[in-house]
Amino acid sequence: MKVAKSIWCAGAMALAMTGVSQMAQASVEESADVPQADRELVNKCHEAAMNSKDGDTFESSQLLMDQQNAGDYEKGEELLLHINMLGHGTTIYNVSCNVDEQGNVTYKEFQKAGTPAGTTR
């Protein structure tokens, strides 16, 4: 009985990992739909997060380009930018950056979650 349960658990884990892998791959493929200006803001936030005091936390994280709110930014206005990164296993890092009126991006904070933060897209 224990062997059967172990095999079932291993199969379930493999299936879950396949889903995470597909989600990560989908984000890379869908990033082509993200406008260049949005991509630039997201990349600046990602870079600021990687260079922050929390950067070691994100060292093996993959940016989920399609899960962000950069499209809400308008020149001359401030924005609290939210991006998501896929970490180990099913960990999602919800990263926040401040974007000022001139488009300068500074890292603010992050939270660990099992799901991406909501987006406006």
Side-chain angles (χ1 to χ4, degrees), residues 34-42 70:
V34 177
Q36 183 63 31
D38 294 2
R39 243 184 274 173
E40 288 175 13
L41 277 181
V42 171

Side-chain angles (χ1 to χ4, degrees), residues 59-100:
E59 71 182 61
S60 64
S61 299
Q62 179 181 356
L63 184 59
L64 301 174
M65 183 61 76
D66 62 329
Q67 298 176 359
Q68 42 78 19
N69 68 330
D72 294 344
Y73 178 70
E74 294 185 29
K75 277 189 173 180
E77 294 185 16
E78 294 182 2
L79 174 72
L80 181 59
L81 177 62
H82 299 286
I83 67 171
N84 294 290
M85 295 187 286
L86 178 63
H88 292 352
T90 59
T91 301
I92 301 285
Y93 296 108
N94 306 134
V95 176
S96 298
C97 291
N98 291 313
V99 183
D100 68 13

